[in-house]
């Protein structure tokens, strides 16, 4: 009798523990949703107040304790917001569509937040000098009227360099292009930045969204990539940018759906059979494929969300340096039993597509489909696709249906 009571007590304790655990998870999720909603509401109110020059009211909004919990995100958002305002002020000053006094008022208000760097101080100092010069001119010449901003190329140069170093390349180019040719030294330095940017446009374009994606600003990243200058990109580079856009869209979809916990955590670390069921990873099929780039191994799991079991391990070969296999979350989209690429004078059997021209496929064959051209596996050796032994590629081709989730990191 004592034993039965003890067992019942143990079962009750376990049930109680699980109930509390589930309740804590639900409370945490609810609290996070509430904080995100409140954060969006408060920052929207702040932007609205600041845009309407209600500076005191705007500043009081930021005293909310909820915003202090999300301080890092707030600082990032304010950085983007204030940088955009400073950029618009510079353009307006150059076009004489805003008075220097109003510009000084706004810039000094922004300075109080200690978000932007020393380039803002240089702009304020240059604008203050310009005001003083105009006041002297007004005193000496009674016919002088409105005070306007005298172009200060040094300010534009410093702002451009600051924006460039912050990877905000579009704004950097706008500042550099405001510098007139008669400012020889500044114009020459700005042109060097512009020429370097154009020559390495694809790399800078991709680099500009890395931090945005890392901080889950997916829509901003997509907007930046979607507005690329096609005249500065080759056909292959355009395909690469479009593939990157599609990849980020998948990240956004994952983050806004059931896999938000996975997207924010698991993509940054190695997935193993011991931890795979800790991230709530879902797939639209009963299979999940994970490629470990460091180990050059493709793992196939079978099961469902938080119930995955490893069933296959395939040694593989991914893209070499400069033609790296993309990292991210993908899904199987198509398949075929053979392709041949004239560009590389080789083909492959049993291909399974997961993004654009990126495929899982067999070792490379010659045009006759009878001779393997390269047996390399276990180290990067491809043009970006994932090479597998013929029998492994065929297994994927036969068993992994469309919509199966693919994770590569």
């Amino acid at each position: 009798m004592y034993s039965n009571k003890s067992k019942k007590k143990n079962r009750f304790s376990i049930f109680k523990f699980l109930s509390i655990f589930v309740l804590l998870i639900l409370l945490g999720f609810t609290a996070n949703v509430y904080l995100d909603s409140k954060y969006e509401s408060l920052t929207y109110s702040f932007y609205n107040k600041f845009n309407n020059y209600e500076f005191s009211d705007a500043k009081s909004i930021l005293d909310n304790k909820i915003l202090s919990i999300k301080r890092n995100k707030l600082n990032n958002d304010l950085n983007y917001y204030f940088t955009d305002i400073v950029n618009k002020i510079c353009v307006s000053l150059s076009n004489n569509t805003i008075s220097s006094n109003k510009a000084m008022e706004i810039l000094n208000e922004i300075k109080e937040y200690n978000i932007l760097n020393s380039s803002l101080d240089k702009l304020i100092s240059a604008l203050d000098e310009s005001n003083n010069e105009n006041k002297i001119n007004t005193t000496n010449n009674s016919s002088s009227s409105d005070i306007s901003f005298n172009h200060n190329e040094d300010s534009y140069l410093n702002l451009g360099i600051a924006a460039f170093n912050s990877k905000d390349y579009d704004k950097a180019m706008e500042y550099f292009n405001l510098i007139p040719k008669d400012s020889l030294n500044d114009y020459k330095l700005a042109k060097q930045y512009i020429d370097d940017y154009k020559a390495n446009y694809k790399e800078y374009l991709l680099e500009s969204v890395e931090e945005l994606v890392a901080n889950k600003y997916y829509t901003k990243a997509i907007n930046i990539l979607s507005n690329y200058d096609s005249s500065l990109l080759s056909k292959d580079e355009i395909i690469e940018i479009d593939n990157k856009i599609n990849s980020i869209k998948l990240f956004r979809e994952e983050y806004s759906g059931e896999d938000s916990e996975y997207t924010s955590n698991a993509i940054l670390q190695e997935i193993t059979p011991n931890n795979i069921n800790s991230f709530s990873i879902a797939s639209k099929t009963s299979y999940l494929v994970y490629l470990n780039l460091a180990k050059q191994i493709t793992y196939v799991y079978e099961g469902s969300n938080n119930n995955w079991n490893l069933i296959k391990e395939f040694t593989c070969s991914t893209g070499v340096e400069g033609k790296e296999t993309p990292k991210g979350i993908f899904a199987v989209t198509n398949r075929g039993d053979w392709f041949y690429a004239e560009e590389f004078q080789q083909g492959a059997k049993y291909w399974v597509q997961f993004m654009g021209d990126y495929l899982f496929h067999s070792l490379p064959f010659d045009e006759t489909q009878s001779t393997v051209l390269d047996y390399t596996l276990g180290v990067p050796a491809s043009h970006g696709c994932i090479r597998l032994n013929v029998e492994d590629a065929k297994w994927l081709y036969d068993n992994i249906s469309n919509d199966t989730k693919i994770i590569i990191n």
Side-chain angles (χ1 to χ4, degrees):
M1 183 178 290
Y2 175 79
S3 177
N4 289 336
K5 285 183 178 180
S6 178
K7 288 180 179 179
K8 289 181 179 179
K9 188 174 182 180
N10 287 336
R11 284 198 295 269
F12 176 76
S13 298
I14 293 172
F15 176 76
K16 186 177 180 180
F17 172 78
L18 290 175
S19 298
I20 294 173
F21 180 72
V22 172
L23 179 61
L24 289 174
I25 291 176
L26 289 174
L27 286 174
F29 176 77
T30 303
N32 191 54
V33 171
Y34 170 77
L35 288 174
D36 286 343
S37 175
K38 195 67 177 175
Y39 175 87
E40 294 298 331
S41 175
L42 289 169
T43 51
Y44 177 82
S45 297
F46 170 80
Y47 299 146
N48 187 52
K49 293 292 185 183
F50 199 96
N51 289 342
N52 288 298
Y53 304 106
E54 299 174 31
F55 298 135
S56 179
D57 291 342
K59 190 169 294 182
S60 65
I61 291 173
L62 296 189
D63 291 333
N64 193 289
K65 291 183 179 179
I66 287 178
L67 294 180
S68 65
I69 297 174
K70 291 181 171 288
R71 177 56 58 184
N72 289 336
K73 178 173 172 56
L74 179 63
N75 286 341
N76 283 332
D77 286 341
L78 289 180
N79 187 294
Y80 287 119
Y81 174 69
F82 287 143
T83 300
D84 185 57
I85 288 181
V86 171
N87 177 61
K88 290 176 180 176
I89 288 175
C90 286
V91 174
S92 297
L93 285 168
S94 66
N95 295 330
N96 291 323
T97 56
I98 186 175
S99 70
S100 57
N101 287 335
K102 174 58 71 174
M104 282 288 286
E105 178 187 359
I106 299 171
L107 294 174
N108 280 319
E109 185 65 29
I110 292 174
K111 181 180 178 181
E112 292 188 14
Y113 289 85
N114 295 317
I115 297 294
L116 301 185
N117 55 28
S118 59
S119 60
L120 177 64
D121 294 329
K122 292 179 180 179
L123 177 60
I124 291 174
S125 176
L127 186 55
D128 190 43
E129 290 177 8
S130 175
N131 281 342
N132 291 334
E133 290 176 4
N134 278 313
K135 286 178 181 178
I136 294 173
N137 291 336
T138 302
T139 302
N140 295 334
N141 188 352
S142 58
S143 63
S144 298
S145 54
D146 294 337
I147 299 174
S148 61
F149 179 68
N150 290 332
H151 292 289
N152 191 296
E153 293 77 27
D154 181 60
S155 299
Y156 291 142
L157 180 64
N158 286 320
L159 284 168
I161 293 174
F164 197 93
N165 291 337
S166 298
K167 300 181 182 180
D168 193 349
Y169 301 116
D170 285 342
K171 283 188 173 58
M173 294 306 111
E174 289 181 20
Y175 288 131
F176 290 145
N177 284 317
L178 287 172
I179 301 173
K181 292 182 178 180
D182 54 11
S183 299
L184 297 179
N185 291 332
D186 288 351
Y187 178 78
K188 183 178 180 180
L189 182 56
K191 191 174 185 304
Q192 290 176 359
Y193 274 96
I194 293 171
D195 290 344
D196 176 58
Y197 177 66
K198 290 181 177 179
N200 302 282
Y201 181 61
K202 186 204 74 175
E203 286 73 18
Y204 284 127
L205 190 60
L206 292 174
E207 188 179 1
S208 67
V209 303
E210 285 181 357
E211 188 172 349
L212 290 174
V213 172
N215 288 295
K216 306 180 193 69
Y217 294 109
Y218 301 124
T219 301
K220 285 184 179 179
I222 291 169
N223 288 339
I224 289 173
L225 292 181
S226 297
N227 292 316
Y228 60 74
D229 185 346
S230 59
S231 67
L232 299 177
L233 294 170
S234 67
K235 183 179 178 181
D236 289 341
E237 288 175 330
I238 289 175
I239 292 174
E240 185 175 347
I241 296 299
D242 288 340
N243 286 337
K244 183 67 174 179
I245 292 172
N246 291 332
S247 178
I248 296 174
K249 286 180 178 178
L250 281 171
F251 271 93
R252 182 174 63 181
E253 181 181 339
E254 294 286 336
Y255 181 68
S256 62
E258 296 179 355
D259 293 344
S260 59
E261 184 179 356
Y262 162 71
T263 302
S264 59
N265 295 308
I267 195 62
L268 301 178
Q269 57 187 287
E270 180 182 4
I271 297 174
T272 69
N274 293 327
N275 69 15
I276 190 169
N277 292 313
S278 303
F279 302 117
S280 295
I281 306 175
S283 177
K284 293 181 179 180
T285 74
S286 60
Y287 289 105
L288 171 69
V289 179
Y290 169 61
L291 170 58
N292 187 313
L293 291 169
K295 294 182 177 179
Q296 294 287 288
I297 297 177
T298 296
Y299 300 88
V300 180
Y301 291 87
E302 186 175 19
S304 59
N305 190 343
N306 284 343
N307 189 32
W308 295 110
N309 298 299
L310 181 64
I311 61 169
K312 295 284 184 180
E313 290 186 31
F314 302 140
T315 300
C316 60
S317 181
T318 61
V320 296
E321 184 177 355
K323 296 182 179 179
E324 292 86 351
T325 300
K327 299 177 182 179
I329 307 167
F330 312 98
V332 176
T333 56
N334 205 350
R335 71 196 58 243
D337 57 10
W338 168 255
F339 76 88
Y340 185 78
E342 290 286 350
E343 179 183 1
F344 305 116
Q345 291 294 295
Q346 60 183 226
K349 299 177 180 181
Y350 309 118
W351 57 268
V352 174
Q353 181 186 41
F354 63 91
M355 185 186 79
D357 294 330
Y358 292 100
L359 319 167
F360 286 88
H361 60 65
S362 72
L363 293 169
F365 281 79
D366 67 2
E367 193 171 3
T368 67
Q369 304 185 38
S370 60
T371 303
V372 174
L373 299 175
D374 185 357
Y375 284 92
T376 302
L377 287 174
V379 295
S382 77
H383 302 100
C385 291
I386 300 102
R387 295 178 182 176
L388 301 164
N389 275 319
V390 177
E391 57 272 22
D392 296 338
K394 189 176 189 307
W395 190 94
L396 279 182
Y397 172 81
D398 289 337
N399 294 277
I400 303 301
S401 58
N402 289 358
D403 293 328
T404 295
K405 179 166 290 181
I406 307 290
I407 301 167
I408 302 175
N409 72 11

